[in-house]
Amino acid sequence: MQRLMIVVPCYNEEEILPYSIEKLTGVIKNLIKKSKIASNSGILFVNDGSKDKTWEIIQNEYAKNPYVYGLGLAGNVGHQNALFAGLQTAAEICDFSISIDADLQDDIEVIEQMVDEYLSGADIVYGVRSERKTDTFFKRFTAQSFYRIMEMMGVKTVYNHADFRLMSARAMKQLGQYKERNLFLRGMVPLIGYKTATVTYARKERLAGESKYPLKKMLSFAWDGITSFSIKPISMIMAFGGVIVACSVIAFIYTLVSYFMGHVSPGWSSLMISIWFLGGVQLLFIGVVGQYVGKTYIESKERPRYNVEKFLNHEE
Ligand code: UDP
Ligand code: MG
């Protein structure tokens, strides 16, 4: 039987944690009862340097609940890093994991469906929000714009999928091969390329505690996502430079015509043309330099060049 670890990053979640522990323990027990997962399956709570009682709660629970595991990080490293730490730790001890936020805004009812997809051969199962009724208009709007911009930038993401997902141990280990420091997991996981499946659910409201993603963090997360995955902004600078150079040609013709019609003050024509032309050329060349910087940036990530799905080998 396959061993499951549910991975839960927690930052200052004392208010909701007892409830989440109870619910998730129920999920694990139920799956064990149905003989879908091994009896030593469990929930790995990752404490992301919380300042409240989160770690105490995890420790106390660990002492009495055989399904609860804990990973205490030495400081606050942020949601993505905490989740990554949990996944890398889980990869060593289990056959597959499911990551979910501590507030259980993602529907635990579909966990069983995810497990079924895994058991029928999927390496990665994405939880996808079918609707966002409980989110404010603002959150919906910003989220939608975000997915659209990412698409424009050529980054592959799964629409309306956050970090509620199932991963097999080999997928988690493969994820560990991505050496970058700036993590944007929902962009990285689709790069792995193993067999995937999706399950849909309706996202719920947070029952207690506050969102740890206020607008400022949301914007910086989106910006991280774009800049970690795309050097398209550099190409845009270059294209913009090209447009300005083209404009300078028009300006050139215009000033020339004005000059021959005789109603310009002396010096104006040459000034106009040089400003436009030099501005454009500079921008264009910054873009060219940027392309090299961008390439160096991509190289510095040391991402794996390929991931092997299967090796048909007679010697095995
Ligand atoms: N989280 C974390 N470290 C942080 C911020 C958040 O581990 O620095 C966790 C948090 O405890 C929760 C998850 O990341 O389990 C998502 O946070 P939240 O629910 O506040 O985000 P939202 O659902 O509002 O986008
Ligand atoms: Mg939440």
Side-chain angles (χ1 to χ4, degrees):
M1 208 102 57
Q2 306 271 302
R3 186 181 192 190
L4 164 67
M5 275 291 152
I6 298 180
V7 178
V8 190
C10 310
Y11 177 60
N12 294 349
E13 297 286 9
E14 62 178 9
E15 277 170 88
I16 200 155
L17 207 53
Y19 167 85
S20 308
I21 291 173
E22 191 195 317
K23 284 280 169 191
L24 290 171
T25 306
V27 170
I28 290 283
K29 278 185 180 162
N30 181 39
L31 288 170
I32 293 174
K33 208 170 81 194
K34 289 186 175 169
S35 312
K36 291 195 173 178
I37 56 174
S39 58
N40 59 354
S41 297
I43 313 142
L44 176 61
F45 290 95
V46 182
N47 177 36
D48 184 16
S50 300
K51 291 179 186 69
D52 65 359
K53 294 225 160 58
T54 299
W55 185 234
E56 275 94 316
I57 296 173
I58 296 170
Q59 279 175 309
N60 289 339
E61 197 63 30
Y62 169 75
K64 57 182 195 225
N65 183 339
Y67 302 110
V68 167
Y69 296 72
L71 180 68
L73 301 182
N76 180 247
V77 293
H79 177 208
Q80 298 287 295
N81 287 314
L83 179 53
F84 191 79
L87 291 175
Q88 292 310 302
T89 307
E92 299 300 324
I93 58 170
C94 70
D95 298 297
F96 69 112
S97 74
I98 292 175
S99 49
I100 189 166
D101 290 350
D103 53 13
L104 302 189
Q105 282 185 286
D106 306 301
D107 193 1
I108 54 171
E109 301 289 324
V110 298
I111 288 182
E112 189 171 344
Q113 272 179 53
M114 288 178 146
V115 173
D116 288 339
E117 292 285 356
Y118 169 75
L119 292 176
S120 48
D123 271 284
I124 298 164
V125 185
Y126 297 109
V128 172
R129 297 166 190 172
S130 57
E131 41 118 346
R132 289 172 157 262
K133 279 204 193 105
T134 57
D135 283 341
T136 57
F137 169 77
F138 180 73
K139 179 113 185 180
R140 272 204 309 262
F141 175 75
T142 47
Q144 253 157 25
S145 320
F146 170 68
Y147 287 111
R148 222 164 282 145
I149 292 173
M150 288 299 273
E151 209 171 294
M152 262 167 50
M153 296 287 167
V155 184
K156 261 199 267 170
T157 50
V158 179
Y159 189 73
N160 265 346
H161 159 71
D163 286 309
F164 180 33
R165 90 176 73 76
L166 180 151
M167 291 178 87
S168 64
R170 68 167 186 163
M172 290 185 269
K173 284 181 181 152
Q174 206 53 50
L175 186 68
Q177 296 298 310
Y178 288 70
K179 304 282 182 217
E180 56 217 78
R181 304 285 121 184
N182 242 306
L183 295 179
F184 184 67
L185 293 174
R186 56 191 90 160
M188 289 159 69
V189 174
L191 296 177
I192 297 175
Y194 291 141
K195 191 172 174 236
T196 62
T198 49
V199 298
T200 51
Y201 65 96
R203 182 164 154 99
K204 300 203 195 108
E205 263 167 275
R206 200 181 229 281
L207 289 174
E210 288 168 355
S211 169
K212 273 82 195 169
Y213 270 101
L215 181 63
K216 207 177 120 208
K217 253 199 202 168
M218 231 158 68
L219 285 177
S220 88
F221 182 59
W223 181 242
D224 260 5
I226 293 167
T227 52
S228 301
F229 272 81
S230 176
I231 53 171
K232 270 223 174 131
I234 299 172
S235 306
M236 285 175 174
I237 292 176
M238 225 169 106
F240 190 62
V243 169
I244 305 259
V245 171
C247 285
S248 82
V249 173
I250 298 169
F252 180 71
I253 295 167
Y254 175 75
T255 43
L256 219 59
V257 171
S258 313
Y259 178 78
F260 283 117
M261 309 227 337
H263 44 70
V264 281
S265 22
W268 183 79
S269 317
S270 45
L271 256 178
M272 266 324 262
I273 295 166
S274 15
I275 286 173
W276 276 85
F277 184 69
L278 277 178
V281 166
Q282 271 173 5
L283 210 52
L284 190 69
F285 286 3
I286 287 174
V288 173
V289 175
Q291 293 287 335
Y292 287 94
V293 177
K295 292 247 157 75
T296 314
Y297 173 60
I298 297 282
E299 290 290 339
S300 72
K301 286 181 189 287
E302 293 184 43
R303 286 180 175 176
R305 294 191 181 80
Y306 56 84
N307 301 324
V308 175
E309 167 85 51
K310 248 190 199 104
F311 178 28
L312 298 177
N313 181 2
H314 284 295
E315 268 119 63
E316 277 220 333

